[in-house]
């Protein structure tokens, strides 16, 4: 807004500046002619002995009056005489002294800028036409411009054959900075800035709240409904966000409630199947049936665990992420698993610690199960925090990198729960990471696999 303001004002002043100066000069000349006519009428009513004094005391800061005998003076000597009279300060002139004073003294101020000479006033000297609206001056009056139109003169014939000389000089502003315009523009800019700041704050504050709420929602945190305030577009955006959040929560609650109900209802038929399997007389058939029932039971329990995980409302808090990862590694090492944590800098991170702990544990247990050992480290960048789990195992084929995140999917063909689990570990790990606004990313090593929990910084 300020750039537009300055640009528009600058363009406007560039267009109107010459006209502005011309109008000032025209106004000064009109006033000069009017004053010359009034003084000429006054002088003609007075005795000759008083006329010169009356003309002199009518001088102002920028004008000088005097009476001379020559009715048609030459322009150059006339301007030279005007210069000599401008050199005399007004106070001294009104006191009756015609002596010039030092320019720096308080009483020595004159309309002539310091260093001005008679040659400066002679520049641009020329006779000019009388103003069209000056019918009160005699037709024989003469008009003169000098000092590059900063000066003007009027020579008015009197009844006794003498003339009244009026000289005007004012050094008009050479640039825009010598006018009131910069101050006016600065005040306008301040007022526009205040209005702009208030307007922008009224718009930006709801947007900041919306950004913060969207980020918290993306991390799976509980978000209170936004205040639906501000301009119409911002208010409608907040209303849309609140409706979206309500629908998302309702969708997640319905899905997890359905999963929990299915997992719970499966327990009864599984128990019935187990009781009936106990009655089978063929030992081999009975063992296979019980193994299948146990597998179904484990999958049901895993489904219930996943549903409880998604419906749990663990509070978000700031923790030392490095200490959390190290504690998970230490816990697994204490039960005999080969896990090495490579320490680094401490990282304070806002998360749900128990959910993140479960994600890290699942990835490490997968690495130990298939490779025998795991190496864990924490890597921080400007935009992300990565918890990296590396192993030297057989890895995963590139075309199946995404399939392993599907619920109940297992690469291990034997379907043994001792060697392959039930196939929910990576699904749960990715779900928790995405609830934090991140993801679980798999990549191949030579040899082995690298699993990284990538979280936003």
């Amino acid at each position: 807004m300020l750039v537009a303001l300055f640009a528009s004002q600058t363009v406007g002043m560039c267009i109107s500046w010459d006209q502005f100066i011309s109008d000032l000069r025209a106004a000064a000349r009109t006033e000069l002619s009017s004053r010359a006519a009034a003084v000429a009428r006054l002088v003609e009513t007075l005795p000759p002995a008083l006329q010169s004094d009356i003309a002199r005391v009518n001088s102002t800061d920028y004008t000088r009056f005097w009476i001379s005998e020559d009715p048609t003076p030459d322009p150059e000597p006339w301007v030279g005489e005007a210069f000599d009279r401008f050199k005399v300060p007004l106070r001294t002139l009104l006191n009756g002294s015609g002596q010039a004073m030092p320019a720096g003294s308080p009483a020595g101020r004159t309309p002539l800028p310091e260093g001005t000479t008679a040659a400066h006033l002679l520049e641009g000297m020329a006779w000019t036409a009388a103003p069209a609206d000056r019918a009160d001056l005699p037709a024989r009056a003469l008009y003169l411009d000098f000092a590059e139109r900063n000066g003007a003169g009027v020579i008015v014939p009197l009844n006794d054959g003498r003339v009244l000389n009026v000289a005007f000089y004012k050094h008009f502003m050479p640039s825009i900075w010598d006018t009131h315009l910069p101050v006016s523009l600065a005040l306008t800019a301040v007022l526009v800035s205040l209005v702009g700041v208030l307007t922008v704050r009224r718009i930006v504050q709801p947007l900041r709240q919306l950004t913060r709420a969207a980020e918290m929602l993306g991390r799976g945190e509980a978000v209170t409904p936004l205040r639906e305030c501000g301009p119409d577009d911002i208010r409608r955006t907040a209303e849309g966000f609140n409706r979206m959040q309500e629908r998302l929560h309702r969708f997640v609650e319905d899905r997890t409630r359905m999963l929990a109900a299915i997992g719970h209802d499966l327990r009864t038929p599984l128990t019935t199947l187990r009781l009936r399997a106990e009655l089978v007389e063929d030992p081999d058939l009975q063992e296979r049936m019980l193994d299948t029932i146990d597998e179904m039971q484990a999958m049901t329990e895993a489904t219930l665990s996943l549903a409880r995980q998604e419906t749990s409302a663990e509070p978000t808090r700031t923790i030392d992420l490095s200490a959390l990862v190290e504690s998970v590694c230490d816990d697994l090492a204490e039960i005999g698993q080969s896990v090495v944590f490579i320490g680094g800098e401490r990282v304070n991170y806002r998360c749900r610690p128990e959910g993140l702990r479960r994600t890290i544990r699942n990835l490490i247990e997968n690495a130990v199960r298939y490779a025998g050992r795991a190496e864990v480290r924490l890597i921080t960048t400007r935009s992300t925090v990565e918890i990296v789990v590396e192993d030297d195992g057989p890895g995963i084929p590139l075309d199946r990198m995404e399939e392993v995140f599907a619920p109940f999917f297992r690469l291990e063909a034997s379907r043994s729960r001792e060697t392959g689990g039930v196939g929910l570990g990576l699904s749960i790990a990715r779900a928790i990471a995405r609830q934090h606004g991140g993801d679980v990313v798999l990549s191949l090593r030579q040899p082995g696999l690298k699993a990284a929990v990538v979280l936003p910084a």
Side-chain angles (χ1 to χ4, degrees):
M1 288 192 297
L2 290 179
V3 170
L5 172 66
F6 284 124
S8 62
Q9 293 290 333
T10 301
V11 171
M13 288 312 303
C14 289
I15 294 173
S16 62
W17 180 249
D18 289 340
Q19 184 62 42
F20 175 70
I21 295 297
S22 297
D23 290 344
L24 286 179
R25 287 171 173 164
R29 280 158 176 73
T30 300
E31 182 182 357
L32 179 66
S33 298
S34 177
R35 189 172 179 82
V39 173
R41 288 194 298 269
L42 174 64
V43 166
E44 288 180 336
T45 63
L46 297 173
L50 295 177
Q51 289 179 350
S52 294
D53 290 338
I54 294 300
R56 174 175 50 82
V57 297
N58 273 281
S59 299
T60 66
D61 285 333
Y62 300 104
T63 60
R64 295 293 184 267
F65 289 76
W66 75 95
I67 296 176
S68 64
E69 303 292 335
D70 188 0
T72 56
D74 291 333
E76 188 169 338
W78 190 91
V79 173
E81 184 174 357
F83 174 76
D84 293 336
R85 292 181 179 275
F86 279 123
K87 288 172 58 178
V88 179
L90 180 63
R91 182 184 300 179
T92 303
L93 188 67
L94 297 179
N95 289 337
S97 172
Q99 300 295 321
M101 298 186 65
S105 63
R109 296 192 182 94
T110 72
L112 298 174
E114 187 176 354
T116 303
T117 64
H120 290 111
L121 268 66
L122 293 174
E123 294 177 356
M125 183 178 59
W127 294 105
T128 59
D133 58 345
R134 300 317 309 167
D136 53 346
L137 284 172
R140 293 180 294 116
L142 301 176
Y143 295 85
L144 182 69
D145 273 341
F146 58 90
E148 295 292 349
R149 299 195 68 204
N150 286 325
V154 180
I155 303 172
V156 184
L158 300 177
N159 293 334
D160 58 2
R162 295 184 299 171
V163 294
L164 174 66
N165 302 282
V166 186
F168 166 83
Y169 178 83
K170 184 176 182 180
H171 184 68
F172 284 92
M173 294 72 66
S175 72
I176 195 173
W177 303 108
D178 296 324
T179 69
H180 67 283
L181 295 174
V183 175
S184 175
L185 185 59
L187 291 176
T188 304
V190 170
L191 292 176
V192 170
S193 299
L194 289 176
V195 173
V197 166
L198 294 176
T199 303
V200 170
R201 284 188 62 183
R202 186 166 177 261
I203 296 174
V204 168
Q205 188 171 4
L207 284 178
R208 286 178 177 168
Q209 294 176 354
L210 178 61
T211 302
R212 192 180 307 112
E215 185 176 353
M216 292 174 63
L217 183 63
R219 291 171 179 257
E221 300 184 32
V223 180
T224 57
L226 295 176
R227 288 183 55 209
E228 298 170 357
C229 61
D232 290 344
D233 291 339
I234 304 299
R235 187 179 66 253
R236 285 194 290 268
T237 303
E239 292 173 357
F241 178 85
N242 289 336
R243 287 195 298 270
M244 178 195 70
Q245 181 182 206
E246 181 182 357
R247 290 167 183 167
L248 285 175
H249 286 317
R250 187 165 59 244
F251 170 77
V252 172
E253 289 172 1
D254 291 344
R255 194 191 71 165
T256 52
R257 192 180 300 114
M258 179 185 66
L259 289 174
I262 292 173
H264 182 271
D265 291 345
L266 282 176
R267 287 179 173 177
T268 300
L270 287 175
T271 303
T272 303
L273 285 175
R274 183 180 295 277
L275 291 175
R276 291 178 179 176
E278 296 290 344
L279 301 177
V280 175
E281 297 180 356
D282 188 341
D284 294 335
L285 178 59
Q286 184 186 57
E287 183 179 357
R288 288 196 299 271
M289 291 178 65
L290 290 176
D291 288 342
T292 301
I293 294 171
D294 289 341
E295 184 178 359
M296 294 175 64
Q297 183 76 32
M299 294 173 67
T300 302
E301 295 296 334
T303 302
L304 289 174
S305 176
L306 179 60
R308 285 193 297 268
Q309 173 66 37
E310 292 193 353
T311 55
S312 63
E314 182 188 356
T316 302
R317 55 192 175 92
T318 301
I319 62 165
D320 185 343
L321 188 57
S322 179
L324 175 69
V325 177
E326 186 175 7
S327 67
V328 174
C329 294
D330 291 343
D331 291 343
L332 294 174
E334 287 179 0
I335 61 176
Q337 298 195 23
S338 178
V339 181
V340 177
F341 174 70
I342 301 176
E345 61 178 323
R346 298 292 177 180
V347 179
N348 292 326
Y349 194 76
R350 184 174 175 81
C351 64
R352 291 180 292 282
E354 293 305 317
L356 209 54
R357 180 188 294 273
R358 183 174 183 182
T359 297
I360 300 168
R361 187 184 184 97
N362 285 353
L363 294 180
I364 295 176
E365 287 179 342
N366 276 352
V368 173
R369 180 180 297 118
Y370 292 106
R373 64 182 301 275
E375 189 176 277
V376 186
R377 61 168 56 86
L378 195 63
I379 301 175
T380 59
T381 65
R382 294 183 60 182
S383 58
T384 62
V385 177
E386 297 184 14
I387 305 168
V388 179
V389 179
E390 297 176 326
D391 62 59
D392 299 325
I396 298 175
L398 283 175
D399 58 345
R400 313 197 77 176
M401 283 287 190
E402 285 300 316
E403 292 183 31
V404 296
F405 290 105
F408 305 111
F409 179 86
R410 293 188 300 179
L411 286 173
E412 204 274 325
S414 69
R415 310 297 294 177
S416 171
R417 287 185 290 114
E418 285 72 19
T419 59
V422 297
L424 278 178
L426 288 177
S427 298
I428 294 173
R430 171 167 275 188
I432 295 173
R434 287 182 172 177
Q435 287 174 3
H436 285 78
D439 203 350
V440 176
V441 179
L442 302 180
S443 58
L444 291 177
R445 298 177 67 227
Q446 296 298 330
L449 183 72
K450 171 184 172 182
V453 183
V454 182
L455 302 172

